[in-house]
Amino acid sequence: MAYTKIVVTIGPATCDRASLLALADAGMSVVRLNGAHADLDWHRHVIKLVHSTLPGVPVLLDIPGRKIRTVSLSHEPRFSAGDCIVLTTDPSHDGWAKIPLNHADLHNHVKAGDIILADDGTLRFTVEKVEGSDIICRAARCGTLRSKKGINLPFLKLNTALVSDRDRSMIEWACDLEVDFIGVSFVESADHVQLIRNIVRGNTPLILAKIENQS
């Protein structure tokens, strides 16, 4: 048995029988579904398709959890290293002047000098100042900040609920569909994992704890 596993995220382009068979043949070990995208009906369809097509391949459902994201943007800004980028918790913006985030209270937690990573760490910003709901940053490298991309503050601990009502509902739903793994983002403690286990109420699904920041 190979100890190194290959986890493949399934999206609209690969949620068919032929694609799943090809991915398994190429070495896919685990099918991953991102609970932050699509709706439960889509995920239910894919889970049933995987179970019928690849009965030996486990399914991992990543719940949205505490992950901060950009919202759906009508304009996805491109920038160069050194450019000023304004993130905001004001949902009235669309990406042209400022880039709104889904965490309504984030501006109260960050300060000048904090590091903000985006899009799985491919983008990096340094906070220069905070003005009201606006977080004014300087880009470390060129890139494009797209819709619904993850935002990570690796050295900041947020005082928010460990498990949201949405997460709780999704975990219970996943248990009914016999998902093999629950992926939990930004795990901070054993208590956090235990809260998830209490919702599962058993030994399965297994819990995959994603270690994503210093805390």
Side-chain angles (χ1 to χ4, degrees), residues 133-152:
S133 59
D134 296 342
I135 303 167
I136 300 164
C137 305
R138 191 69 59 181
R141 57 180 72 97
C142 65
T144 301
L145 189 50
R146 304 188 187 279
S147 299
K148 296 187 177 181
K149 290 300 181 181
I151 301 293
N152 186 0

Side-chain angles (χ1 to χ4, degrees), residues 78-91:
R78 181 163 181 79
F79 46 84
S80 299
D83 283 356
C84 179
I85 295 293
V86 181
L87 307 176
T88 185
T89 57
D90 180 351

Side-chain angles (χ1 to χ4, degrees), residues 21-179:
L21 290 170
L23 290 168
D25 188 57
M28 176 176 66
S29 308
V30 178
V31 166
R32 173 182 177 265
L33 299 175
N34 189 343
H37 299 284
D39 56 30
L40 293 184
D41 286 340
W42 185 87
H43 289 297
R44 180 184 292 106
H45 164 73
V46 178
I47 291 168
K48 290 182 177 179
L49 182 63
V50 172
H51 286 164
S52 63
T53 305
L54 302 169
V57 175
V59 175
L60 159 66
L61 178 68
D62 255 345
I63 60 173
R66 310 175 78 197
K67 194 161 193 173
I68 303 167
R69 293 183 181 273
T70 57
V71 302
S72 293
L73 305 173
S74 60
H75 173 69
E76 297 179 331
R78 181 163 181 79
F79 46 84
S80 299
D83 283 356
C84 179
I85 295 293
V86 181
L87 307 176
T88 185
T89 57
D90 180 351
S92 66
H93 291 276
D94 58 6
W96 283 96
K98 303 175 184 180
I99 305 158
L101 307 177
N102 67 351
H103 192 300
D105 196 41
L106 185 63
H107 60 277
N108 291 321
H109 296 281
V110 298
K111 63 184 185 304
D114 283 347
I115 300 298
I116 297 178
L117 305 178
D119 199 359
D120 295 324
T122 60
L123 304 176
R124 181 185 177 101
F125 309 96
T126 300
V127 177
E128 293 200 330
K129 57 183 176 178
V130 178
E131 295 182 345
S133 59
D134 296 342
I135 303 167
I136 300 164
C137 305
R138 191 69 59 181
R141 57 180 72 97
C142 65
T144 301
L145 189 50
R146 304 188 187 279
S147 299
K148 296 187 177 181
K149 290 300 181 181
I151 301 293
N152 186 0
L153 293 92
F155 307 108
L156 182 66
K157 186 171 183 177
L158 297 175
N159 295 318
T160 57
L162 292 174
V163 182
S164 68
D165 291 340
R166 181 189 179 193
D167 292 338
R168 181 180 299 273
S169 297
M170 186 171 286
I171 293 167
E172 293 171 346
W173 174 88
C175 291
D176 291 339
L177 286 177
E178 298 182 350
V179 165

